[in-house]
Amino acid sequence: MQLIKNTIEIGIEKPFTFLQISDIHLAETDENDSAERRNFANGRKGCFSYAPAFMEEVREYVKKTGCPLFNTGDMLDFITPENLRITKEFEAETGMILVAGNHEYWHCAANRFSFDDVPETYEKKNESLAEVQEYLKNDIRFSCTEINGVNLVCMDDTDYCIDEDIFEKLKKVEAEGKPIILLMHIPLYSEYLEDHAKYSLCAPEKYFENCHPVDVFERRPDKLTCQIVEHIRTSPLIRYVLCGHTHANQEILGKGEQDQIVTGCNTIREITVI
């Protein structure tokens, strides 16, 4: 596990600290799953072998610090009864506030990540997210937690899109006039993401050249999302964006654009707000 400590300045009277994790990618199965399914999960677990030990370390660190825990998505690698059971238990133990990642709507019915598994409509995606939601207390599509006069907003930007309902909820929080720390799964596009820029929200069209059709289908944003991203970039209240998805630790701070912190796999960020 990697522990990274950050201090971000908003200008509040009473500083506070919270924790951010991302991209655990649980790939567990049980007797409810077929032998083929369990074999698929075993292959996926090899990619994320850190997950069980990391979760235990997170539990212990939450107990040690007493800090609120935010998870910016991909708690699951794909949807199974066992992954959902473990996630529900982890939430109860840590008080985790989870925002949906793209893997929170993957069923992988064909035991592979393929075009057939990509939701073709918001309705199909939201049906899968609703299935996950049944196991959790906090709203994985949109939630707001106020701490010492700062609104920590968790907002669903999975599928590389943000829908109008989510945007309206964000604007209602902005109407309160309090500074916002925005937590999403997918980072906003920035050239400072370097090789990971192709996995960002509203990446330029050049990143879709010579891409697999699945990648183009999933990553190309719609017009509304581009408008919402511009709103996020220019809103005086949205001070920082915290995200995951790229599996890398990156900080885009003081670069003359929206300040972002990207948290990678097997990492706890301890963020102090002053």
Side-chain angles (χ1 to χ4, degrees), residues 1-3 22-24 50-51 53-54 57 249 264-268:
M1 181 196 81
Q2 184 175 7
L3 174 64
S22 199
D23 296 271
I24 289 177
Y50 59 81
F54 177 62
E57 289 169 325
N249 289 302
C265 296
N266 204 21
T267 299
I268 297 178

Side-chain angles (χ1 to χ4, degrees), residues 91-246:
E91 180 197 50
E93 293 171 341
T94 64
M96 172 186 70
I97 296 174
L98 173 69
V99 63
N102 53 302
H103 283 256
E104 263 73 59
Y105 62 71
W106 287 101
H107 275 283
C108 292
N111 288 338
R112 66 183 188 277
F113 290 90
S114 71
F115 185 80
D116 293 338
D117 293 314
V118 177
E120 295 183 4
T121 65
Y122 279 123
E123 287 73 22
K124 289 183 179 180
K125 180 187 82 168
N126 293 345
E127 285 174 9
S128 294
L129 291 178
E131 182 179 344
V132 175
Q133 182 66 67
E134 290 179 5
Y135 286 78
L136 298 170
K137 293 180 180 179
N138 82 281
D139 188 338
I140 64 172
R141 299 208 63 215
F142 190 93
S143 67
C144 178
T145 303
E146 182 186 344
I147 305 178
N148 297 352
V150 178
N151 281 326
L152 283 79
V153 173
C154 293
M155 188 172 82
D156 172 19
D157 69 343
T158 58
D159 208 21
Y160 290 82
C161 290
I162 303 171
D163 64 35
E164 188 170 3
D165 177 62
I166 296 295
F167 186 35
E168 290 302 316
K169 290 179 179 179
L170 174 62
K171 288 191 287 187
K172 285 183 180 179
V173 174
E174 286 183 280
E176 297 178 12
K178 299 171 184 175
I180 292 171
I181 298 173
L182 185 61
L183 296 101
M184 308 188 298
H185 182 59
I186 300 172
L188 305 181
Y189 170 74
S190 169
E191 63 179 14
Y192 296 107
L193 290 171
E194 298 177 339
D195 291 344
H196 302 290
K198 62 183 177 181
Y199 301 114
S200 63
L201 195 63
C202 292
E205 195 67 23
K206 66 180 182 180
Y207 288 99
F208 304 129
E209 296 173 0
N210 302 316
C211 273
H212 191 284
V214 174
D215 295 329
V216 176
F217 177 85
E218 184 182 22
R219 297 177 195 164
R220 178 177 282 145
D222 57 22
K223 183 177 180 180
L224 175 61
T225 298
C226 293
Q227 294 171 347
I228 296 171
V229 166
E230 183 61 23
H231 175 90
I232 292 170
R233 292 187 189 278
T234 57
S235 170
L237 293 173
I238 300 175
R239 305 293 295 276
Y240 293 87
V241 174
L242 275 55
C243 41
H245 188 56
T246 68

Side-chain angles (χ1 to χ4, degrees), residues 61-112:
Y61 205 74
V62 169
K63 289 179 184 178
K64 175 184 175 181
T65 63
C67 294
L69 175 67
F70 292 83
N71 185 338
T72 46
D74 285 2
M75 177 74 183
L76 314 179
D77 192 50
F78 56 98
I79 298 171
T80 69
E82 183 66 359
N83 282 339
L84 293 173
R85 183 195 68 78
I86 293 171
T87 299
K88 180 179 181 179
E89 182 180 87
F90 189 74
E91 180 197 50
E93 293 171 341
T94 64
M96 172 186 70
I97 296 174
L98 173 69
V99 63
N102 53 302
H103 283 256
E104 263 73 59
Y105 62 71
W106 287 101
H107 275 283
C108 292
N111 288 338
R112 66 183 188 277

